[in-house]
């Protein structure tokens, strides 16, 4: 079974997301990506 | 499907596990907003309540280790509060909240904890602990309401780890890709494959394209390339390579002609053989065989005319030189002896052929006498060691001038001795030869002095008898059977000759579409050692 791990780190904080649901990982990362872009544009 | 969210700080690490996608998604959205919005808020939202689940699965660790360190920054901002006791925990997805163990086991590398998401909007809602009846309320600021309202009753597995793995700085990645297009980092359209699959793919990618694929099955089934000797002989490369041979350095210019023109090649090789004794070397033998094969292939029409010359190319004749003949050629050089042997050998063969023609000839007595005279001259010349080069070349040059019956006489152009008598002519015949050599015992009598256990020995004895008693260098199967059958009652076949040839006691060569045999020096030595010692 494949396992996907995605880590985010900001300063001392780090979020790691791990799952075997490829579709969900894809959706979630895409969502995060869009959020990151929005927040960056707002700044 | 499983989903795990790990939150790490410098001091602590939390892991949130669940099999519910929605829960994880909401938690991730929550954490993500705080993560990139305000780190302070995010820190405040991190749950610090761990509830040990009551699980039927034995693999779960019942210990409940989550306790933020005292120095944890987050701890300072989160207040834990016991809000209820003896509250039956809620069960979600088969998992039941169980005891809360306030003393975490530091020795355990991976410690599982579970927490319950706070009801309503805050983390600081009641969290129920079934076993220990410890209910902790996490009180946070009122303005930190999030989307956790729908997460009421959902239990999530929390896990602490002492190991902190180095991770990539996502903020840096985000900065780099902030204005660019969709980075490849997020392209997860294709589900990654297992390690084995990856290796297999890499191997497949390493394979050449279809045009370059080397099919092993084809290699195994591929037939070996046929070596077309004729094409090699006719090719320029072969001619060029052949001309580089030092042995034929004097005749380089004519070697190509040798390969393509049998008549010329025969003369040329013949001359080389008479000059260069190194003709017995493997290289020369190979070339001679090549020329022979080429002649046989390219000039079948002239095969009959070249048989005598082809006989000269037989490497087997170059190896074994009859010691008896050599003894009779004392005073001559090796080259001359070699030529003598060839000449004498051919002369006897030609005489045999001429005798056959003579017996079947229906001409007049004068003609017979003339032929007999020629035969006598031939035999005389062979006995007097004529050079085969002269007879062969003369025969070749004048062969077309004579009648078919007389073409076999290779001494037609030589001066015929008018003093030759019929007795000399008759001496050519084997019977006459025996008479010429004196009283010759019959083979049946000759073999009686030996103890013969095998027919091959009988054959060898007969061969020795033919050579040393009858003084014939070679014999045909018909001739030796004419000796063997009356004496032993058996007829020799190819099996006997093959056996002796394989042992090296008998040699075989073709003369005018017929095979002739002769005992070799090894055969004679074997005979002497076995029967006369």
């Amino acid at each position: 079974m494949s396992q996907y791990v995605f880590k985010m780190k900001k300063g001392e904080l780090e979020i790691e997301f791990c799952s075997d649901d490829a579709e969900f990982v894809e959706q979630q990362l895409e969502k995060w990506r869009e959020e990151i872009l929005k927040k960056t544009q707002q700044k | 499907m499983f989903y795990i969210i790990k939150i790490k700080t410098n001091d602590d690490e939390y892991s949130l596990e669940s099999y519910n996608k929605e829960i994880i998604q909401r938690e991730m959205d929550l954490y993500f907003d705080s993560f990139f919005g305000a780190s302070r808020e995010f820190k405040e939202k991190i749950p610090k309540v761990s509830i040990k689940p009551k699980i039927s699965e034995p693999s779960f660790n019942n210990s409940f280790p989550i306790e933020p360190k005292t120095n944890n920054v987050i701890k300072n901002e989160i207040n834990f509060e016991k809000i209820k006791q003896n509250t039956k925990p809620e069960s979600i997805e088969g998992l039941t909240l169980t005891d809360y163990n306030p003393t975490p086991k530091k020795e355990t590398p991976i410690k599982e904890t579970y927490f319950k998401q706070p009801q309503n909007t805050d983390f600081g809602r009641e969290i129920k602990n079934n076993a220990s009846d410890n209910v902790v309320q996490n009180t946070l600021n009122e303005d930190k309401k999030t989307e956790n309202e729908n997460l009421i009753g959902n239990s999530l597995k929390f896990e602490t780890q002492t190991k902190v793995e180095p991770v990539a700085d996502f903020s840096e990645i985000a900065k780099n890709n902030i204005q660019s297009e969709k980075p490849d980092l997020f392209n997860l359209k294709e589900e990654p494959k297992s390690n084995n699959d990856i290796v297999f793919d890499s191997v497949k990618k390493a394979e050449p394209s279809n045009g370059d694929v080397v099919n092993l099955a084809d290699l195994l089934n591929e037939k070996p390339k046929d070596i077309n000797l004729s094409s090699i002989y006719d090719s320029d490369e072969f001619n060029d390579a052949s001309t580089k041979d030092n042995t034929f350095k004097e005749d380089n210019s004519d070697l190509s002609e040798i390969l393509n023109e049998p008549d010329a090649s025969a003369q040329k090789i013949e001359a080389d053989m008479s000059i260069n004794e190194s003709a017995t070397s493997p290289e020369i033998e190979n070339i001679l065989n090549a020329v022979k094969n080429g002649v046989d292939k390219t000039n079948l029409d002239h095969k009959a005319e070249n048989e005598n010359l082809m006989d000269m190319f037989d490497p087997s004749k170059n190896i074994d030189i009859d010691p008896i003949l050599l003894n009779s050629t004392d005073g001559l050089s090796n080259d001359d002896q070699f030529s003598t042997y060839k000449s004498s050998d051919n002369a006897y063969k030609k005489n045999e052929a001429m005798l056959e023609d003579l017996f079947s000839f229906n001409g007049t007595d004068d003609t017979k006498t003339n032929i007999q005279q020629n035969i006598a001259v031939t035999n005389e010349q062979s006995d007097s060691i004529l050079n085969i080069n002269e007879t062969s070349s003369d025969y070749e040059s004048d062969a077309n001038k004579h009648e078919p019956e007389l073409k076999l006489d290779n001494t037609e152009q030589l001066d015929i001795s008018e003093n030759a008598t019929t007795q000399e002519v008759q001496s050519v015949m084997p019977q006459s030869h025996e008479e010429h050599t004196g009283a010759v015992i019959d083979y049946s009598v000759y073999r009686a002095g030996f103890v013969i256990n095998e027919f091959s020995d009988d054959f060898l004895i007969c061969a020795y008898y033919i050579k040393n008693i009858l003084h014939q260098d070679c014999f045909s199967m018909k001739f030796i059977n004419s000796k063997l059958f009356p004496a032993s009652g058996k007829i020799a076949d190819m099996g006997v000759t093959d056996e002796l040839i394989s042992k090296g006691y008998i040699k075989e060569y073709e003369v005018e579409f017929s095979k002739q045999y002769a005992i070799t020096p090894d055969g004679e030595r074997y005979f002497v050692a076995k029967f006369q010692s």
Side-chain angles (χ1 to χ4, degrees), chain A residues 4 12 14 31-33 40, chain B residues 28-29 167 178 182 191:
Chain A
Y4 307 93
E12 63 179 4
E14 175 184 332
K31 186 177 180 180
W32 285 352
R33 174 180 173 274
T40 306
Chain B
M28 290 179 65
D29 293 340
V167 295
I178 201 66
K182 182 177 182 180
E191 180 178 353

Side-chain angles (χ1 to χ4, degrees), chain A residues 4-21:
Chain A
Y4 307 93
V5 179
F6 188 79
K7 293 182 179 180
M8 292 186 298
K9 186 175 181 182
K10 182 179 180 181
E12 63 179 4
L13 296 178
E14 175 184 332
I15 294 178
E16 177 179 331
F17 172 55
C18 179
S19 176
D20 60 346
D21 189 347

